[in-house]
Amino acid sequence: MAATFTAGPFACTYLVVAGGGGTGNGANGLEQCGAGGAGGMRSNFGSTGGGGSVEDALTLTRGTYSVVVGAGGSPASDGSDSSFHTVDSSGGGFGGGVRAAAGNLGGSGGGGGDFGGVGGAGTSGQGFAGGTGQTSAPSGSTDGGASGGAGSAGSGSTSAGSGVSNSITGSAVTYSSGKLVTAGSGADNTGDGSGTSSSTSNGSGGSGVVIFTLPSAVSVSFSGGVTQTSATVGVNTVYTVTATSTTSETVTMS
């Protein structure tokens, strides 16, 4: 006899990655701002950010739920939060400006500015802190601190925080990586932090992503401002939401 979907509850796995932070301002060829921190990462499948255990199982019923994908931060701006239902991941902190400005706190913290700027703190269960900016350099130029990632903290100006690999889509992808200050802007839908693209420019963080899986028997529709794709993996459908045009977008399960 064919299976019949009822009102639930039914199991839902998720990965919620926020936007990465922008670099600090003021890079001028001799002085460097701090790198932008990676977006916070939360998941109840496989692996999660901040060194914590994967989150608790989530069960849903027929209904409408909120979904938001956070944008990456521009220079001197934090990344934006991403959320799915009650799960919220914090945007990455922006990097400190030149001459010892502190990096901002966030999902993962931004690196401090050159001349010893302190890195920003990360958020427990989402990411780690940024590194301290370089205090002096034999070449006469000084680098800002590396940013924190979902997998580890930034260390000084030479070691960016690592991201975390997750296979919720069926393939392993690394999300929410920190950056060295010279590493360029973060890529879309990674939650990666940001570095500068040259010695005199500033970078932007990568946008976040929301991925969730449901039994394929569940009928799913999205509000008009949601950009998403879906794929069948076994008995489940994986939905990957790559952008939302407002903070009021929704997904309806019926």
Side-chain angles (χ1 to χ4, degrees):
M1 181 169 55
T4 301
F5 174 67
T6 63
F10 45 87
C12 175
T13 60
Y14 61 81
L15 169 68
V16 180
V17 176
T23 63
N25 273 327
N28 59 29
L30 289 177
E31 299 174 302
Q32 285 286 1
C33 53
M41 175 181 173
R42 294 181 60 183
S43 180
N44 69 348
F45 179 89
S47 56
T48 193
S53 301
V54 293
E55 300 190 357
D56 292 339
L58 175 65
T59 55
L60 301 175
T61 59
R62 290 179 177 179
T64 298
Y65 301 91
S66 62
V67 59
V68 176
V69 174
S74 56
S77 296
D78 294 336
S80 296
D81 294 358
S82 291
S83 61
F84 172 62
H85 187 29
T86 60
V87 180
D88 185 272
S89 291
S90 300
F94 64 84
V98 298
R99 302 194 180 183
N104 212 32
L105 58 81
S108 296
D114 64 347
F115 291 102
V118 177
T123 300
S124 178
Q126 299 190 33
F128 290 89
T132 299
Q134 194 174 30
T135 55
S136 63
S139 64
S141 62
T142 51
D143 286 338
S147 60
S152 65
S155 179
S157 61
T158 58
S159 180
S162 62
V164 172
S165 178
N166 189 288
S167 301
I168 192 171
T169 62
S171 300
V173 178
T174 297
Y175 301 94
S176 297
S177 296
K179 292 273 194 176
L180 298 177
V181 73
T182 54
S185 293
D188 289 343
N189 303 128
T190 61
D192 287 353
S194 61
T196 60
S197 56
S198 73
S199 61
T200 57
S201 65
N202 304 296
S204 299
S207 58
V209 67
V210 173
I211 302 172
F212 61 93
T213 72
L214 295 167
S216 295
V218 182
S219 178
V220 174
S221 61
F222 293 88
S223 57
V226 176
T227 301
Q228 59 86 30
T229 59
S230 62
T232 300
V233 179
V235 299
N236 293 323
T237 300
V238 181
Y239 297 91
T240 301
V241 181
T242 54
T244 50
S245 62
T246 73
T247 58
S248 301
E249 303 303 327
T250 59
V251 53
T252 299
M253 303 166 194
S254 60

